Amino acid sequence: MNIQAKYTPVLDPDFIAPVLWTKAYEEKVAATPGSHLVELALTRLDGTCFRWSGMVLPSEGENVALNNFYIERIVKFLLWMKGGCTILVAGDDKIAEMLSATYCHGGAREFDWDFIGTQIYDQPIQVKAVASADLPAENSTSVALGRNLDGYRIGFDLGGSDRKCAAVVNGEVVFSEEVVWDPYHQTDPNYQLEGVDDSLLRAAKHLPQVDAIGGSAAGVYVNNEPKVASLFRGIAKDDFERVTRRMFFTLKDRWCERMGKDVPFEVVNDGEVTALAGAMGMNDDAVLGIAMGTSLAAGYVDPEGHIMPWLNELAFVPVDYQEDGGVDEWSKDKGVGAMYFSQQAVARLAPRAGFEFGSMPYPEQLKKVQAAMAEGDERARKIYETIGVEFGYTIAYFAKYYGIRNLLFLGRVATGDGGQLIIDKANEVLNGEFPELKINLCVPDEKTKRHGQAVAAASLPKIG
């Protein structure tokens, strides 16, 4: 296929942007007689269903490998973007067989099969070939959370090194604080439960009453239950099921009893709340938030201003189709987001730029590169230029799946002169390759940085 890029990442010349590979593939499909339709449905046990359809090449010769690669990469993207535990395939039984052999115990995507299926949606991923008429209809309602600023509210944000909490009166922060904690290695499930309650009690002292509580936390949360979260990784499975899974319901019960009334209580992923905070700060919607930190975190607010019931775990989505793309140590897949847009990306590119960090921890490598960038070191500049070019192409690919008017850019990698260079190079790619996309790349303003997350979290529940 003829894949032509106007911009080449200086330290990663073999990078293949999925948006360009997909365009070349679709052009080949359009020019090939006998191409046929494949339809997919990703479903969950609660009836949620996401649909996708596209044309593929006739199943013969070298086309088979192209079809398999095209569909498998899209399925991988959709699984981590939207989530689901059953994949229904109509239009090509061979593709269904390929996916079934890939997403299974012992398959190439065993990590995804278990992590998304068993750990998040309570069932290992299953793949089934069905007739087109038997595919369920799209069923994905948005979550009407956020932008509720009335009354006396508490907002909290749970991170790996501290927990933040704020008292909010009609949208204005009247008290906020950060409390240092160490949840990662705690084996007592009551450590996190009582720690959060302690912060809520501290904030409540600054309010005449508590009408609602909203929170954000790192990890995957479904209907106020933590499914997978590093904050609770030291807790044994039995204790997790006994205490942690329902900890926010326990807290809600406590506060209802304390206040003598119903106190709405909502908790969602911190990436979603970051995107919501950005949308509220900009007074606009269609916001994709991207945080380049320890890993790649994301959140999304749709064009109507709603949080969607999606995973948005873009650390695991494919962003590079080259044969020798960076391999993620956890999932064992190559070319995925965390390896290109986080401190891991800096560590991956540093040796190519001429830095010799050896076994230095990734956060320290990032600090060294940031310091070098501040001093005008051309080696550091090449790292940020590379990330920026690849980010530009990846934003264009994300725009095929997300409605984006605003891209909120934050995280440790985004700070300093290097962060601005990433934005500049990404804009250069978007303007030069994809002028039809009108996407505003921005960083949070100071007010959003200080209090935006707390206010957005506090605004999640609706009173009454």
Side-chain angles (χ1 to χ4, degrees), residues 78 118 166 183 196 233 247 368 421:
L78 293 174
T118 305
V196 175
R233 64 189 181 194
M247 67 175 279
K368 292 286 188 182
L421 184 54

Side-chain angles (χ1 to χ4, degrees), residues 14-172:
D14 295 327
F15 173 78
I16 298 177
V19 66
L20 299 182
W21 191 98
T22 299
K23 178 184 178 183
Y25 175 86
E26 290 174 348
E27 288 174 349
K28 182 177 178 67
V29 167
T32 303
S35 295
H36 59 282
L37 180 69
V38 170
E39 298 174 279
L40 303 175
L42 272 64
T43 67
R44 302 178 187 171
L45 297 178
D46 65 2
T48 300
C49 176
F50 305 104
R51 292 286 298 269
W52 178 92
S53 64
M55 300 293 290
V56 299
L57 296 164
S59 300
E60 56 191 27
E62 64 180 17
N63 291 348
V64 174
L66 287 174
N67 287 347
N68 287 348
F69 184 78
Y70 173 66
I71 293 293
E72 192 280 321
R73 294 287 79 182
I74 286 176
V75 166
K76 169 94 174 189
F77 190 102
L78 293 174
L79 281 170
W80 287 104
M81 173 195 177
K82 294 189 171 180
C85 54
T86 301
I87 306 168
L88 304 177
V89 183
D92 195 315
D93 288 356
K94 292 293 185 181
I95 285 178
E97 291 176 9
M98 177 275 297
L99 290 173
S100 184
T102 303
Y103 290 89
C104 67
H105 179 65
R109 303 290 166 259
E110 180 176 3
F111 172 84
D112 314 81
W113 167 81
D114 177 62
F115 197 105
I116 294 180
T118 305
Q119 297 189 49
I120 297 178
Y121 295 113
D122 301 320
Q123 172 191 290
I125 289 175
Q126 299 178 353
V127 181
K128 301 177 182 179
V130 299
S132 178
D134 293 330
L135 289 171
E138 178 92 11
N139 178 23
S140 171
T141 57
S142 59
V143 182
L145 296 175
R147 289 187 171 85
N148 303 298
L149 300 176
D150 56 315
Y152 301 99
R153 298 168 172 269
I154 298 176
F156 65 86
D157 177 52
L158 307 181
S161 57
D162 60 64
R163 58 181 195 266
K164 304 176 181 68
C165 200
V168 181
V169 179
N170 295 321
E172 294 297 324

Side-chain angles (χ1 to χ4, degrees), residues 155-193:
F156 65 86
D157 177 52
L158 307 181
S161 57
D162 60 64
R163 58 181 195 266
K164 304 176 181 68
C165 200
V168 181
V169 179
N170 295 321
E172 294 297 324
V173 175
V174 297
F175 166 82
S176 67
E177 71 169 352
E178 297 181 8
V179 176
V180 175
W181 72 341
D182 180 26
Y184 285 164
H185 308 295
Q186 303 297 326
T187 58
D188 180 359
N190 290 304
Y191 176 88
Q192 290 89 345
L193 173 65

Side-chain angles (χ1 to χ4, degrees), residues 3 9 11-22 69 72-73 76-77 109 296 314-327 333-341 348-349 352 386 390-391 393-395 397-398:
I3 303 171
L11 296 178
D12 203 3
D14 295 327
F15 173 78
I16 298 177
V19 66
L20 299 182
W21 191 98
T22 299
F69 184 78
E72 192 280 321
R73 294 287 79 182
K76 169 94 174 189
F77 190 102
R109 303 290 166 259
L296 170 62
L314 301 185
F316 296 107
V317 302
V319 299
D320 180 11
Y321 280 3
Q322 68 170 301
E323 182 64 29
D324 296 320
V327 177
D333 199 0
K334 57 190 174 185
V336 298
M339 298 302 299
Y340 291 73
F341 308 119
R348 182 177 70 90
L349 297 172
R352 303 182 189 186
T386 298
E390 295 178 343
F391 193 36
Y393 281 111
T394 299
I395 292 168
Y397 188 56
F398 288 170

